[in-house]
Amino acid sequence: MSKTVISLKDITVSYDGEQVLKNFNLQIKDGEFVTLLGPSGCGKTTVLRTIGGFVAPETGDVFFSEAKITDIPPHKRELNTIFQKYALFPHLNVFNNVAFGMRIKGKKEREVKEMVTSMLELVNLTGYAHRSVSQLSGGQQQRVAIARALANEPKVLLLDEPLGALDLKLRKDMQVELKKIQQQTGITFIFVTHDQEEALSMSDTVVVMDKGEIQQIGTPTDIYNEPQNAFVADFIGESNILDGVMLEDFKVRFAGHTFDCLDKGFGRNQPVDVVIRPEDIDVISAENSQINGEVTNITFKGVHYEIIVDVAGFKWMIQSTDFQEVGAKIGLSLTPDDIHVMKKSEYSGSFGDYSTFSDEMEEDMILEEEAAESKEAEIEE
Amino acid sequence: MKNKSKILSAPYTVWMVIFILVPVLLVAYFAFTNKSGEFTVENILHVGQYSNVFIRSIWMGAAATIISLIIGYPLAYIISKMKAKTQNVMIMLIMLPMWMNFLLRTYAWMTLLENNGLINRLLGLFGIGPFEMINTSGAVVLGMVYNYLPFMILPLYSIMTKIDNTTLEAARDLGSNSVTTFTRVILPLSMPGVRTGITMVFVPSVSTFIISRMLGGGGNLLIGDLIDLQFLGNAYNPNLGAAISLVLMVLILLCMSVFNQFGDEEEMEGMLL
């Protein structure tokens, strides 16, 4: 089996007295495509910079193939970074940017030339060698940055939101390309992003982070199908998250009814969070269903419709290819496979209701705001 | 659109014609005429006899420029790495002496450097000296460095603050230690500032006359003094003065273009390395 290439042990990092990483532990296997995923400020970039050597942890150690590298400066680490803003050298042309690292290491000019040529080929920039980097588009600059990093033949490549500045179409293309490069070269990629779709489609392993802590580590399918808490369920894809009670193994009660499920190992009558993905819900006629409600909103999304259904005050989201009339009474059908039960966490209750999605709700809120504003105005007068 | 910008730029064009173009043409006119207004190249040929003054001026100007660069470059770099607030304070401190009158500042150096000036008296307390500091070429170079150093620091500082920190991180990431990061990234990226700084110190240093008169005594006559003598001194000869000015202008232009050529090559070399 592949061995661990990077390992972080009990890393703590603070900026201006605020803890960004708390006792952070992570092992990354050789040749893996690992993504650190989380909202801004969750500490994912700090993890990357700690590995790269640009942030010194207060406590804890960084290991590279079993060797401690905590105190080794960035230029002596056998890894390379692709920076968010590419950070190309503006005074050098494409060729010399890519050649930079090799020349620092004192490689022969013939080798350098060969390597640069093959790297530019890898990133589809053959023929651009003598262009100035300022003449390149964002996507091209990004490719130069990739070529520049890979030319050093790093064991590990760190990528800090490298696709963040590109437009959607280009981003999708680059995702495919990066994945291809990773598979061709076999280099370990540690990729930072806040885009959950990017994380799911590219990675072997996804590390979901929030507030400087790991929320869940797993394959993209695990993370999506078996989220460990409400944060993960909400951050990755869309989820209906309901309060429930685990009656016994394979039996959970929520939304006023008891359902069969595939989860076990909870205590009797233990309060839980229940996750139901919008695309797993089938729409049936209201009479035949335990859960039924009124459609309050429907949005066409291209592949499917996004339907918001009010079931006794809780707004569910359903993704369905069938159109439903707003105001129609419909029933929701769930199979045991659709239900995922999670332990309660600090995130319980803060996610999972789609109230803000309904127009009605928005109108209510606007009306309330206006009322409040006019009241304030009156008081001021 | 084009018309509009033409109209808007008209006042500047007029200004430049009156205050730059016309004076330069007048200098050229005087340089090539004699006292009775007839065309002659005698003035220009005459300039040759002052070649030692020219050499001294350029030599001292170059020395002052190099010293300013040696002092100014690290200082500008250090300031650009400070916290934004400290940066403002430091820049203000550098500008502060410039708020004081140029003559006054140079006078102050006279009292410091005199044979029984402050420095010598202070050294005398320890039984050292006195040294002869005033009226030496060293004092003149010191005066130039002191007065024109801010013109070196400011352009360097402004270009250095523009160097993106992630670029430096990228260099380190690619294996550069602090020395190679400096030689391969910081130095080439700050070259435009170096060039501006050198121009802004070299040009006024070469043509100064107050500094050399006050700190250099009689033995350190510079081109500026020479020109001054032709217009206001007892050697009164505006035509020769104009000729010297013209030659000086050409010499400075030559120096700068040679230097810029050299700078460009340096940059090119940096690219190839």
Side-chain angles (χ1 to χ4, degrees):
Chain A
M1 268 310 284
S2 51
K3 55 184 195 322
T4 304
V5 59
I6 294 274
S7 147
L8 301 174
K9 290 221 168 80
D10 293 324
I11 300 281
T12 303
V13 176
S14 307
Y15 293 139
D16 301 325
E18 202 180 323
Q19 278 209 335
V20 187
L21 293 179
K22 296 162 203 160
N23 295 322
F24 192 89
N25 286 286
L26 183 64
Q27 256 103 47
I28 290 163
K29 287 203 197 77
D30 198 13
E32 245 186 331
F33 195 124
V34 179
T35 300
L36 304 174
L37 174 66
S40 5
C42 74
K44 54 192 192 299
T45 297
T46 308
V47 174
L48 205 70
R49 291 175 63 80
T50 308
I51 299 172
F54 297 108
V55 168
E58 272 152 55
T59 63
D61 282 307
V62 185
F63 295 87
F64 185 92
S65 309
E66 322 259 293
K68 194 171 122 178
I69 58 164
T70 321
D71 301 318
I72 290 177
H75 66 271
K76 289 187 182 153
R77 298 190 182 193
E78 278 179 273
L79 31 82
N80 287 109
T81 308
I82 291 174
F83 295 87
Q84 206 165 358
K85 286 182 286 173
Y86 322 140
L88 298 177
F89 302 118
H91 60 297
L92 301 178
N93 65 17
V94 171
F95 185 96
N96 292 323
N97 259 285
V98 179
F100 190 91
M102 287 182 283
R103 284 175 176 159
I104 291 282
K105 292 195 185 81
K107 288 245 172 89
K108 287 202 193 79
E109 204 53 27
R110 210 171 49 95
E111 280 176 66
V112 170
K113 198 166 179 201
E114 251 169 51
M115 188 57 151
V116 173
T117 312
S118 78
M119 279 302 133
L120 289 180
E121 204 173 310
L122 182 75
V123 297
N124 286 327
L125 279 179
T126 312
Y128 284 81
H130 297 287
R131 295 266 187 106
S132 150
V133 289
S134 55
Q135 290 172 347
L136 303 181
S137 70
Q140 288 167 336
Q141 291 191 17
Q142 182 59 270
R143 287 157 201 260
V144 176
I146 294 167
R148 184 178 69 172
L150 290 176
N152 298 286
E153 300 177 303
K155 292 212 180 86
V156 176
L157 189 65
L158 310 175
L159 302 99
D160 185 5
E161 304 217 21
L163 309 180
L166 305 179
D167 63 58
L168 186 65
K169 186 77 176 60
L170 201 52
R171 199 156 73 215
K172 299 258 180 210
D173 293 346
M174 284 302 290
Q175 285 175 11
V176 176
E177 221 161 304
L178 272 179
K179 184 75 191 163
K180 206 175 75 192
I181 290 170
Q182 196 262 337
Q183 283 162 346
Q184 273 174 17
T185 55
I187 297 170
T188 310
F189 273 36
I190 306 178
F191 189 93
V192 159
T193 183
H194 60 260
D195 182 336
Q196 42 105 0
E197 202 186 311
E198 200 165 278
L200 294 181
S201 62
M202 293 171 83
S203 328
D204 299 320
T205 303
V206 179
V207 179
V208 185
M209 291 180 61
D210 188 43
K211 297 178 185 163
E213 286 170 338
I214 294 177
Q215 301 297 329
Q216 187 169 0
I217 304 181
T219 64
T221 7
D222 279 351
I223 297 276
Y224 190 82
N225 292 336
E226 312 282 333
Q228 257 159 28
N229 63 33
F231 174 81
V232 178
D234 182 76
F235 196 75
I236 317 289
E238 301 288 353
S239 324
N240 299 292
I241 304 172
L242 298 99
D243 272 332
V245 176
M246 201 68 188
L247 299 175
E248 58 187 83
D249 281 355
F250 310 116
K251 281 238 180 300
V252 62
R253 186 172 175 82
F254 61 90
H257 301 279
T258 303
F259 295 88
D260 290 333
C261 65
L262 303 176
D263 301 86
K264 60 175 176 138
F266 294 88
R268 257 180 183 277
N269 295 325
Q270 182 180 343
V272 290
D273 283 333
V274 179
V275 180
I276 293 143
R277 295 288 185 186
E279 70 274 17
D280 290 337
I281 303 169
D282 292 322
V283 177
I284 51 171
S285 64
E287 304 87 68
N288 298 333
S289 172
Q290 291 177 303
I291 313 170
N292 51 58
E294 194 183 308
V295 176
T296 61
N297 190 24
I298 181 158
T299 315
F300 181 58
K301 289 283 178 183
V303 181
H304 57 255
Y305 291 98
E306 216 159 69
I307 306 162
I308 305 294
V309 185
D310 185 341
V311 180
F314 186 92
K315 307 254 163 128
W316 291 62
M317 177 191 275
I318 303 168
Q319 287 170 352
S320 158
T321 48
D322 299 320
F323 178 77
Q324 302 293 335
E325 218 47 83
V326 172
K329 297 263 184 219
I330 57 168
L332 314 184
S333 158
L334 299 172
T335 63
D337 195 33
D338 302 335
I339 297 163
H340 172 65
V341 180
M342 309 180 298
K343 284 205 180 91
K344 284 278 181 193
S345 66
E346 55 170 318
Y347 296 102
S348 300
S350 40
F351 301 110
D353 181 292
Y354 283 94
S355 302
T356 46
F357 260 67
S358 97
D359 286 347
E360 207 179 297
M361 186 72 181
E362 266 169 37
E363 273 167 30
D364 284 353
M365 276 162 62
I366 290 166
L367 284 176
E368 268 170 39
E369 268 171 34
E370 276 172 353
E373 270 169 30
S374 61
K375 225 180 213 173
E376 269 172 37
E378 271 171 38
I379 292 165
E380 272 173 29
E381 274 169 23
Chain B
M1 200 58 203
K2 213 175 172 186
N3 259 337
K4 205 174 177 182
S5 65
K6 243 183 198 167
I7 293 166
L8 280 172
S9 69
Y12 304 102
T13 315
V14 171
W15 177 276
M16 278 166 70
V17 167
I18 295 176
F19 291 104
I20 297 173
L21 194 62
V22 171
V24 168
L25 289 175
L26 277 176
V27 168
Y29 169 78
F30 275 107
F32 286 102
T33 51
N34 61 18
K35 276 181 181 136
S36 42
E38 290 155 352
F39 174 81
T40 175
V41 290
E42 208 171 302
N43 296 320
I44 301 288
L45 295 174
H46 231 73
V47 173
Q49 72 190 56
Y50 299 110
S51 58
N52 60 329
V53 181
F54 274 91
I55 290 168
R56 187 188 301 130
S57 292
I58 288 172
W59 186 85
M60 282 188 178
T65 309
I66 290 164
I67 294 169
S68 299
L69 184 63
I70 291 169
I71 300 172
Y73 195 96
L75 186 59
Y77 184 72
I78 292 164
I79 295 173
S80 74
K81 292 286 158 218
M82 289 173 167
K83 275 190 236 143
K85 254 190 188 162
T86 331
Q87 281 187 24
N88 289 337
V89 173
M90 292 303 289
I91 289 303
M92 210 192 71
L93 285 176
I94 284 165
M95 306 268 285
L96 202 61
M98 296 171 76
W99 298 353
M100 217 148 348
N101 184 281
F102 185 91
L103 269 174
L104 204 67
R105 279 183 280 155
T106 314
Y107 252 121
W109 274 110
M110 279 174 81
T111 61
L112 285 172
L113 297 175
E114 267 165 2
N115 289 344
N116 54 354
L118 272 175
I119 295 176
N120 269 329
R121 263 192 273 165
L122 196 69
L123 289 173
L125 291 180
F126 300 97
I128 322 167
F131 295 100
E132 201 187 315
M133 289 181 287
I134 195 88
N135 301 343
T136 59
S137 52
V140 178
V141 173
L142 173 76
M144 290 172 174
V145 171
Y146 173 74
N147 279 308
Y148 302 124
L149 186 62
F151 297 114
M152 179 63 81
I153 295 172
L154 293 177
L156 281 172
Y157 163 77
S158 80
I159 205 105
M160 280 169 181
T161 49
K162 283 196 201 105
I163 299 177
D164 196 343
N165 198 37
T166 53
T167 317
L168 305 184
E169 280 187 359
R172 286 207 287 156
D173 184 76
L174 294 164
S176 307
N177 55 28
S178 20
V179 176
T180 45
T181 304
F182 178 77
T183 54
R184 303 210 174 187
V185 183
I186 300 172
L187 190 61
L189 284 178
S190 58
M191 270 320 275
V194 172
R195 231 172 285 158
T196 313
I198 286 180
T199 312
M200 289 180 69
V201 174
F202 182 70
V203 174
S205 295
V206 168
S207 53
T208 184
F209 66 101
I210 286 290
I211 296 173
S212 51
R213 184 177 301 167
M214 292 172 86
L215 301 175
N220 289 293
L221 194 76
L222 297 186
I223 308 173
D225 304 293
L226 204 59
I227 296 169
D228 183 46
L229 279 176
Q230 308 310 319
F231 287 94
L232 301 168
N234 24 19
Y236 188 75
N237 185 355
N239 299 88
L240 181 60
I244 299 171
S245 300
L246 200 66
V247 172
L248 175 63
M249 203 158 74
V250 171
L251 274 179
I252 288 176
L253 278 175
L254 269 174
C255 283
M256 292 328 292
S257 63
V258 165
F259 167 69
N260 280 344
Q261 205 64 38
F262 170 72
D264 280 344
E265 259 167 40
E266 181 123 295
E267 216 172 21
M268 290 291 285
E269 222 171 296
M271 279 181 179
L272 294 174
L273 274 175

